[in-house]
Amino acid sequence: MNNSGKLRPVHILVGAVIGVAAVPVLAQIGQIADRFTPILSALETYAVDNNGKFPPDKNAIDTTKEHYLPDILTTPIAYMEPAQMEDPFADPNSPYSRYRFLNTYDSYFGTTEYPTQYDRHGDWAVWSGGPSRNSDALLSPFGIAVYDPTNGTLSNGVIIRNQRMLKETGAEPRNQ
């Protein structure tokens, strides 16, 4: 007697459950893609208004929270809306549920790590921890794992955009 006919509905059910579980994650990834455009525009516009300097990667009032999009992008001049700073993969209960941000010059200039970080990102990088929610991964000196949905919807890796990626698409580079 062939048991494969009896097991087939179970396999289909497991596949359907996994597929349904991935839908919210895919929606969050879509949100990130939609939000990167105004974030990148805000960074570039800020730099134009500030003699080529990108915003700092920490807030002037609370300097303990480094490497997050800073308040200066929303006030006093609204380069972007505060809601656009919110990372859908961040902890919603955290006061810092924003996209992560690295100003390479501010964070690394004068250190031995600066050439590596600048070569990797250019002057800046914006990222989300992605489905793994590991947003600190980008700051590792050992390199980064970039999220790739072909490794599985819930796979590790950050979702990133940086100035180096813009240079590769033909955008003009900007130096600090």
Side-chain angles (χ1 to χ4, degrees), residues 156-175:
N156 287 329
V158 297
I159 301 170
I160 181 173
R161 295 295 178 271
N162 62 37
Q163 188 186 40
R164 181 75 56 220
M165 292 172 174
L166 292 182
K167 287 179 183 179
E168 291 170 2
T169 61
E172 286 296 314
R174 193 184 309 283
N175 291 315

Side-chain angles (χ1 to χ4, degrees), residues 6-23:
K6 293 180 182 177
L7 295 177
R8 181 169 285 156
V10 173
H11 288 132
I12 292 171
L13 178 61
V14 170
V17 169
I18 291 171
V20 169
V23 169

